[in-house]
Amino acid sequence: MNVKLLKLLCKNARYTVHELSVMTGLSEDDVKSQVSEMEKEGLIRGYKAVIDWERLDSAMVSAIIELKVEPQPDVGFEQIAEQVKKYPEVETVYLMSGGYDLCVIVKGKTFQEVAMFVAKQLAPMKYVVSTATHFILRRYKELDIELIGDNKDDREKISF
Amino acid sequence: MDYMKLLNPTVVDIKPSGIRKFFDIAAEMDDVISLGVGEPDFQTPWHIRQAGIKSLQDGKTKYTSNWGILELRKAVSDYMKAEIGCEYDPKSEVLISVGGSEAIDAAVRAIVGYGDEVLIVQPSFVCYEPIVRLAGGVPVIISTKVENEFRLTAEELKSHITDRTKLLILPYPGNPTGAIMEREDLEAVAEALRGTSIAVISDEIYSELTYTGNRHVSIASLDGMRERTVVINGFSKTYSMTGWRLGFACGPEPILTQMTKIHQFAIMSAPTTSQYAAIEALKNGRPDIEAMVEEYDMRRRLMVDGFNALGLECFEPKGAFYAFPSIKSTGLSSEEFCERLLYSKKVAIVPGNAFGESGEGHVRASYCYSVDHIKEAIRRIGEFLEDIKNEG
């Protein structure tokens, strides 16, 4: 496992094998084999694009749902988390410390759709004690990538 | 008014760099992809900025001691002991200056008198020669060679020493070349200096930015060198603090005392806010340096590989944040190359001859830019090279 390689992929999964090789000092063959090894082992779970959906007319909406759950003997929160994550509407599920138990990020076409999903699917689930829905209104930064504002380089164009 | 009669001829005779015009053109052009700057693209780490802000909130808005805040001088002294292996008394051997440049100026003025010869290693940062002239000294240029990775050899040094040689200015890790001097290189230089009374100003502003896995070695740490050496360093490059204008000098008390006199009358004291921020930088900034160095290293490898792939031979720069590829294969001069590249592809890089004649045939490209930015610039340079080939 090469941490440098992981950091680079984390920053930009579309670097070519050649670029990764040059930047890490590994041979191209090593880059290829290490990446596929990490994929096989499940260390790397996938690659995705970060998209500014707001630029589209058919923008998606997302909400963060705070789920309070009654933990079950032996399995704790695992079972309910397993159930929640199966819904295609559910993008993210985290077990949380603090005021609630599961953080669920849900996406849908409209606020209505997301709200209905919560009301009809999540809230009535056995052992779910309560839900609180927080809609995401604006995304400034996601996965280290800024979605709003241009980071202008305010340095001189040339200096000694 | 006849200003030519009024003005000091020594100053008037310092020619503004011919490159200035080229800079102005680049500055006014839109959509320029620049690899032209000599400063980091990172923001000053937040905890350091906060320390500056807090000092303002606490009302720390007065002059400090001429030498700089004692707590900062102590932190510098600790740093020098830990990283360079030299002990400096924070009370009399550490001066906090307005950037490294002011410390260089003060050191030169403290040492060099009228007619003294000063050895300047080139290609190098542009300030040394004018500063020496303003001090009344005579610059003697030592041109280093790409075959030696622009390191100073003992032979080159010895062949330029005369009985009027007063000072050697040693600029490593180097701007614009990215060259470093490793321990054995410095040993050879030190050997040539032992037994002479030549002083050394070692400009180590890029000391934290090296990529060999070995830490930077200061000539001051070698036998018999501390007594003759003023080490210049600062916060600009190490902590990405160029705008804070803060540097320091460490050296033997008799030299530092004279430098501080100059500093006291010309400057009073370095910016107070910056000094408080710098204390935080030295105390808690090590992880920031490591993260920046790791990032620079990846960009460095990418850029050097890019130039070499284009046929612009590039020796491996092991320090600072510049690549210094040769453009001799194009048949163009450094200035022609840069000017045409700017006009036709809107890429700004700096002609190597701006840093001394020995830089001719090279160009300086900085990798203080994002990977995507560097890739795009290299792509355009590739197009430019194709265009030239097709013309020919």
Side-chain angles (χ1 to χ4, degrees):
Chain A
M1 199 219 13
N2 185 302
V3 178
K4 236 185 215 173
L5 199 52
L6 276 179
K7 277 194 194 161
L8 279 171
L9 287 170
C10 221
K11 197 176 271 177
N12 183 351
R14 295 198 66 199
Y15 285 138
T16 64
V17 170
H18 176 73
E19 286 163 353
L20 291 170
S21 140
V22 167
M23 286 192 278
T24 56
L26 296 168
S27 72
E28 294 195 14
D29 283 345
D30 280 350
V31 169
K32 275 189 225 163
S33 65
Q34 290 200 26
V35 170
S36 63
E37 186 69 16
M38 290 189 287
E39 288 169 349
K40 231 182 283 163
E41 282 173 4
L43 186 59
I44 297 175
R45 310 298 292 210
Y47 305 90
K48 291 193 136 192
V50 176
I51 292 164
D52 187 2
W53 288 108
E54 279 168 42
R55 288 166 186 260
L56 296 180
D57 295 336
S58 56
M60 302 288 279
V61 297
S62 323
I64 293 173
I65 322 293
E66 296 176 359
L67 233 55
K68 279 191 187 156
V69 181
E70 205 178 290
Q72 295 308 294
D74 301 330
V75 294
F77 297 102
E78 296 304 300
Q79 211 173 9
I80 190 102
E82 283 296 326
Q83 281 177 24
V84 169
K85 85 175 193 202
K86 290 209 168 78
Y87 289 103
E89 291 89 343
V90 170
E91 193 182 88
T92 302
V93 184
Y94 300 133
L95 178 63
M96 308 298 287
S97 68
Y100 61 100
D101 305 305
L102 292 181
C103 168
V104 182
I105 301 179
V106 173
K107 64 178 187 308
K109 286 197 190 71
T110 60
F111 287 107
Q112 182 69 8
E113 193 181 289
V114 170
M116 289 316 288
F117 170 78
V118 174
K120 288 198 168 148
Q121 305 294 335
L122 294 184
M125 279 173 91
K126 209 176 168 189
Y127 310 125
V128 168
V129 179
S130 72
T131 67
T133 302
H134 308 275
F135 282 103
I136 293 169
L137 301 180
R138 212 161 183 217
R139 295 147 81 225
Y140 296 92
K141 188 178 182 186
E142 201 163 283
L143 294 169
D144 298 324
I145 294 175
E146 299 202 6
L147 302 178
I148 284 171
D150 56 337
N151 258 332
K152 237 183 111 246
D153 190 343
D154 55 4
R155 295 174 293 173
E156 298 287 312
K157 290 202 184 90
I158 299 186
S159 62
F160 289 119
Chain B
M1 192 82 174
D2 184 351
Y3 287 109
M4 281 304 127
K5 264 190 193 151
L6 175 81
L7 292 166
N8 176 350
T10 311
V11 178
V12 173
D13 286 349
I14 294 175
K15 289 182 213 74
S17 170
I19 310 302
R20 203 70 250 177
K21 213 175 70 198
F22 169 70
F23 281 25
D24 294 341
I25 299 166
E28 279 168 25
M29 214 181 254
D30 290 328
D31 317 320
V32 171
I33 288 256
S34 175
L35 299 178
V37 301
E39 62 177 321
D41 57 324
F42 300 106
Q43 281 289 354
T44 305
W46 180 241
H47 64 106
I48 298 175
R49 283 188 269 166
Q50 255 176 329
I53 294 166
K54 182 170 183 304
S55 78
L56 290 172
Q57 284 173 333
D58 293 348
K60 305 274 174 60
T61 57
K62 304 293 199 296
Y63 296 128
T64 69
S65 146
N66 294 133
W67 293 81
I69 299 168
L70 185 59
E71 189 187 355
L72 175 58
R73 282 183 276 145
K74 280 183 179 153
V76 167
S77 171
D78 291 346
Y79 169 86
M80 293 299 286
K81 190 174 168 190
E83 303 300 333
I84 301 301
C86 284
E87 297 199 29
Y88 293 99
D89 182 346
K91 295 215 167 94
S92 58
E93 297 186 316
V94 178
L95 170 66
I96 306 301
S97 59
V98 180
S101 309
E102 191 237 331
I104 295 166
D105 182 57
V108 169
R109 286 205 271 166
I111 295 168
V112 177
Y114 184 78
D116 289 337
E117 291 183 357
V118 178
L119 303 175
I120 298 175
V121 180
Q122 284 187 348
S124 61
F125 186 54
V126 295
C127 80
Y128 308 126
E129 208 178 318
I131 285 176
V132 167
R133 284 194 197 283
L134 288 172
V138 179
V140 175
I141 306 302
I142 306 180
S143 296
T144 55
K145 299 188 181 66
V146 66
E147 304 88 275
N148 301 328
E149 297 193 347
F150 293 106
R151 296 172 192 215
L152 173 66
T153 67
E155 292 66 41
E156 287 165 341
L157 173 61
K158 281 186 213 155
S159 67
H160 289 81
I161 293 177
T162 72
D163 47 9
R164 294 171 68 193
T165 305
K166 193 78 174 284
L167 174 68
L168 164 68
I169 301 180
L170 202 59
Y172 294 96
N175 170 13
T177 59
I180 61 167
M181 292 280 277
E182 292 188 85
R183 183 176 292 280
E184 55 271 27
D185 307 313
L186 288 169
E187 281 290 2
V189 166
E191 186 49 37
L193 292 173
R194 278 182 204 116
T196 73
S197 53
I198 299 171
V200 178
I201 293 177
S202 186
D203 184 353
E204 302 179 12
I205 194 83
Y206 293 98
S207 67
E208 289 291 346
L209 308 181
T210 60
Y211 311 102
T212 58
N214 298 326
R215 292 198 60 79
H216 165 77
V217 181
S218 171
I219 192 165
S221 68
L222 305 185
D223 252 7
M225 292 299 112
R226 184 197 181 283
E227 62 183 36
R228 70 180 74 229
T229 304
V230 178
V231 177
I232 309 287
N233 209 322
F235 299 86
S236 296
K237 321 291 178 179
T238 310
Y239 301 99
S240 209
M241 292 176 71
T242 47
W244 298 76
R245 306 310 309 123
L246 207 69
F248 60 83
C250 294
E253 187 263 332
I255 305 180
L256 266 282
T257 303
Q258 301 311 317
M259 284 173 63
T260 302
K261 234 196 270 176
I262 298 167
H263 169 82
Q264 168 185 351
F265 294 127
I267 301 288
M268 283 294 300
S269 59
T272 303
T273 313
S274 304
Q275 292 193 53
Y276 281 100
I279 293 170
E280 170 64 19
L282 281 173
K283 288 196 171 156
N284 298 311
R286 180 55 54 186
D288 304 309
I289 302 176
E290 281 163 14
M292 286 192 261
V293 167
E294 187 179 320
E295 180 68 30
Y296 283 139
D297 188 27
M298 289 187 295
R299 299 171 182 183
R300 174 184 77 101
R301 292 157 177 274
L302 191 74
M303 180 176 273
V304 170
D305 177 76
F307 281 126
N308 281 323
L310 292 178
L312 299 181
E313 207 178 313
C314 188
F315 85 100
E316 190 194 345
K318 291 175 180 157
F321 39 55
Y322 310 100
F324 201 56
S326 165
I327 49 103
K328 287 172 193 152
S329 59
T330 62
L332 300 175
S333 73
S334 298
E335 282 187 45
E336 281 168 351
F337 184 94
C338 293
E339 226 164 277
R340 290 183 54 182
L341 177 64
L342 179 64
Y343 280 121
S344 66
K345 300 294 171 192
K346 297 195 166 185
V347 175
I349 51 176
V350 184
N353 64 318
F355 305 94
E357 274 167 38
S358 50
E360 180 54 52
H362 291 262
V363 292
R364 188 195 77 174
S366 151
Y367 47 87
C368 291
Y369 295 94
S370 73
V371 166
D372 289 340
H373 185 103
I374 293 169
K375 277 159 64 178
E376 171 61 15
I378 300 253
R379 191 189 64 75
R380 291 194 196 185
I381 294 172
E383 278 182 8
F384 173 63
L385 293 173
E386 277 303 309
D387 292 353
I388 303 183
K389 221 185 272 168
N390 295 337
E391 274 170 24

